[in-house]
Amino acid sequence: MASNVSGTGSGTARSSPGGSPTTGLGSGWLVFAAVLMVFGGLMMLFQGIAAIAKDDVFVATRHYVYEFDLTAWGWIHLILGIIVTLVGIALFTGATWARVVGVALTGLAMLANFLWAPYAPVWSVILIALNAFVIWALCAAPSPPE
C-alpha cells in the first residue's frame, strides 16, 4: 500500500490540503484569469489602435467631465492594453507578483473603461465586466503551495 507523504514522489503535481492535485499555477482560477487578462488586454490594445488611427469613428459627447482628445485616450488604452496583456501572459507562470500586479492593472483598466464609456458605452461595460471577473478569479485562486 502506497502512502502520499508531502515532499515525496516525482512529477510536478502536488496534493492540496483538500486532497485534489494542483499544478504550478495553483488552480484553474489562475488560468481563467490569465486567459481573460490576455483577451481583455488585446481588446484594449485594439480599442486604442482604433482611437489613434481613425478617431472619427467614435462619437464624442459634448461637455464630458473627463474629456480628453480621442487620440490621447487611444494612447492610454494602447499602453494599458499592452501591459495588461504582458501581465496576463506572466500569470501562466503562476508568479505571485503577477497576481498582485494583475489586480492593480485590471482595476486601472476598469477605471479607464469607465471613463471611456461616453465614446463606446456597450464595449466599455463589457470590458468592465470582464475585468471584474479577472479580479475575482485572481482573488479567489488559492495561494501557491510553499
Side-chain angles (χ1 to χ4, degrees):
M1 207 183 234
S3 66
N4 186 5
V5 179
S6 180
T8 63
S10 61
T12 58
R14 291 181 290 272
S15 182
S16 66
S20 61
T22 60
T23 62
L25 286 175
S27 77
W29 291 118
L30 282 181
V31 175
F32 177 75
V35 169
L36 285 184
M37 270 189 82
V38 169
F39 176 75
L42 289 174
M43 293 299 104
M44 283 188 74
L45 185 137
F46 292 138
Q47 187 176 7
I49 290 172
I52 292 168
K54 195 112 167 132
D55 63 354
D56 60 337
V57 171
F58 298 100
V59 177
T61 58
R62 288 186 258 188
H63 309 296
Y64 178 49
V65 176
Y66 307 107
E67 188 173 340
F68 283 140
D69 178 37
L70 279 173
T71 306
W73 274 119
W75 281 106
I76 290 169
H77 280 82
L78 179 73
I79 292 168
L80 195 56
I82 291 170
I83 296 170
V84 168
T85 302
L86 292 175
V87 172
I89 292 169
L91 270 175
F92 284 111
T93 66
T96 303
W97 69 265
R99 290 175 70 171
V100 173
V101 172
V103 170
L105 278 177
T106 51
L108 283 175
M110 287 175 78
L111 181 62
N113 283 304
F114 173 75
L115 297 175
W116 177 255
Y119 303 106
V122 174
W123 191 246
S124 293
V125 169
I126 290 170
L127 286 177
I128 288 169
L130 185 128
N131 287 321
F133 280 123
V134 169
I135 291 174
W136 175 69
L138 287 174
C139 294
S143 298
E146 295 179 18

